[in-house]
Amino acid sequence: MTAQIRFLWARLNANYWFYPALFSVLAALLAFAMIWLDRSGWAEALNREGWIIPARPQGATNMLNVMAGSMIGVASTVFSITLVAVTYASGTYGPRLLTNFMEDRGNQLSLATFIASFVYALIVLRSVRAEDETAAAGAAADALPGFVPQLSLLVAYALMALCVAVLVYFLNHVPSSIRINTVLKEIAGRLLRIIRETYPVEESIVDARPQESGEPLCATGTGYVQLIDLEGLTALAREHDCTVSLKVRTGDFIHRDLPLLEVTGDLPEACEQDLRDCFTLGPSRTPEQDPQFLIDELVEIGLRALSPGINDPFTAITALHWLGAATAEIGRRDLRKQIDDEDDPDRCPVIPLPDDFAHYLSRGFGSIRSAVATSPIAAEVMLDTLANAAQAVGNPGRRALLHDEGMRLGEQALIALAGPDREALREKLKAFDARFA
């Protein structure tokens, strides 16, 4: 249940309606609270302050009308600019990056601030009474004809100042957020964070626990595995004294009658649906519990940059650098999932599919290798990146995998390149091989 709530919260944050709706509710509550304070006489002292000129009903109405109209206009413009930026980024860098821009907190909060200010101005505007209307009861009504919520107006001025600051921030944030270096940094930063959370143990390389054969439990739905409630599976396995061996990872596509897991032991038939409920299926992959998804995003940007239509090797080089950092982080860690704190991975009743270093290396550098081999500068950078990653990896077997990946790149590049580029690459391969000697 905890994992499901966490996944629901992550999905709520990946859209443009949650924060505007939340801020609108908070703005409405703030407006009602300020009006109540005004009607209760809390703003009476403001009418006696010389440096504050009390607003008249007509002036308050005009100001709130201007604020409400301008805020909804700015909110519409901000939303239009955001959609243009998102369309450009997803078209240029890949449609799978759309989620990254939808989750951009700067865009969400900017839009939410303008809409909340609009809601606040409308509610306060409703409470203003002209001089020929019935005056509100209270001490403040004697000092000024009609009813003007002076304290609420001061808060409205503060919100207008906040909106101006947010607008300036937004106009700077949008072009900065679609810069390719910023996009790659955000993806790689999230990837490194997920790697550290998923594999918290460093410098301890232990072979994955072998899976146990048992009775398969098949899926009844279709879609990508977006989240696996490992804690829920562990609780069910302990409750019924059985062992669960997973047959899918987060990010795998499944359909009806494909096995989700195998159960070793006696499991009541009534609990099968509870096990299936621990798997969240959806139409697309998500980065939660899925480092491969973020690796694929880096690879996609690199492949697009090296395509003949774009031919931007320097963007691909930046993607290779971040891939190298992520590969080095994976290479120094124990790749057994730490599901809970009660058992170590070898005693936990839930056995995930093993995540080995060769799999991640193939998913990253192996996927981009063919495109890199056609670019002399990108090929040299990839060799340097693999060698640098090997310096951070102490395990000889994983270092050997990095060396083999570099040599495969060299073989492929020597076929694709010709002339001086081929000779320069041969010299680079000799230096690369010497660094692993």
Side-chain angles (χ1 to χ4, degrees), residues 348-369:
C348 184
V350 175
I351 307 175
L353 277 177
D355 295 330
D356 59 351
F357 182 70
H359 169 76
Y360 282 116
L361 184 62
S362 174
R363 197 65 178 253
F365 285 108
S367 299
I368 202 174
R369 184 200 322 129

Side-chain angles (χ1 to χ4, degrees), residues 91-93 300-313 315:
T92 304
Y93 309 137
E300 181 178 3
I301 292 176
L303 290 174
R304 280 174 170 263
L306 291 171
S307 63
I310 298 178
N311 192 22
D312 180 13
T315 293

Side-chain angles (χ1 to χ4, degrees), residues 96-138:
R96 272 155 293 280
L97 271 71
L98 180 62
T99 302
N100 300 61
F101 293 98
M102 293 289 290
E103 293 178 350
D104 189 286
R105 195 72 75 244
N107 294 341
Q108 293 176 349
L109 295 181
S110 297
L111 182 61
T113 302
F114 297 127
I115 293 179
S117 300
F118 167 74
V119 171
Y120 179 88
L122 280 185
I123 295 177
V124 174
L125 178 62
R126 179 179 176 275
S127 68
V128 177
R129 294 290 180 269
E131 298 178 4
D132 56 346
E133 295 182 273
T134 303

Side-chain angles (χ1 to χ4, degrees), residues 217-219 253-260:
L217 179 68
C218 295
F253 186 84
I254 62 171
H255 53 77
R256 185 178 175 184
D257 294 334
L258 284 181
L260 292 171

Side-chain angles (χ1 to χ4, degrees), residues 313 371-382 413 417-418 421-422 424-425:
V372 170
T374 62
S375 171
I377 183 173
E380 292 188 10
V381 170
M382 180 168 165
L417 301 179
D421 289 334
R422 181 185 296 176
L425 184 64

Side-chain angles (χ1 to χ4, degrees), residues 257-383:
D257 294 334
L258 284 181
L260 292 171
L261 49 85
E262 291 186 1
V263 181
T264 305
D266 296 328
L267 181 72
E269 188 173 339
C271 295
E272 292 183 357
Q273 188 57 43
D274 293 335
L275 291 176
R276 290 191 181 95
D277 290 341
C278 293
F279 296 82
T280 301
L281 304 182
S284 60
R285 295 170 62 189
T286 61
E288 281 75 26
Q289 293 186 346
D290 189 7
Q292 300 175 39
F293 177 72
L294 297 170
I295 292 175
D296 290 346
E297 287 187 339
L298 292 176
V299 170
E300 181 178 3
I301 292 176
L303 290 174
R304 280 174 170 263
L306 291 171
S307 63
I310 298 178
N311 192 22
D312 180 13
F314 295 100
T315 293
I317 287 171
T318 306
L320 288 171
H321 286 155
W322 285 113
L323 269 178
T327 302
E329 194 69 34
I330 294 173
R332 63 165 64 98
R333 294 182 176 271
D334 182 358
L335 298 183
R336 296 176 300 167
K337 288 185 172 69
Q338 189 74 28
I339 296 177
D340 60 16
D341 297 329
E342 296 184 21
D343 290 332
D344 64 33
D346 289 333
R347 292 199 300 269
C348 184
V350 175
I351 307 175
L353 277 177
D355 295 330
D356 59 351
F357 182 70
H359 169 76
Y360 282 116
L361 184 62
S362 174
R363 197 65 178 253
F365 285 108
S367 299
I368 202 174
R369 184 200 322 129
S370 298
V372 170
T374 62
S375 171
I377 183 173
E380 292 188 10
V381 170
M382 180 168 165
L383 290 174

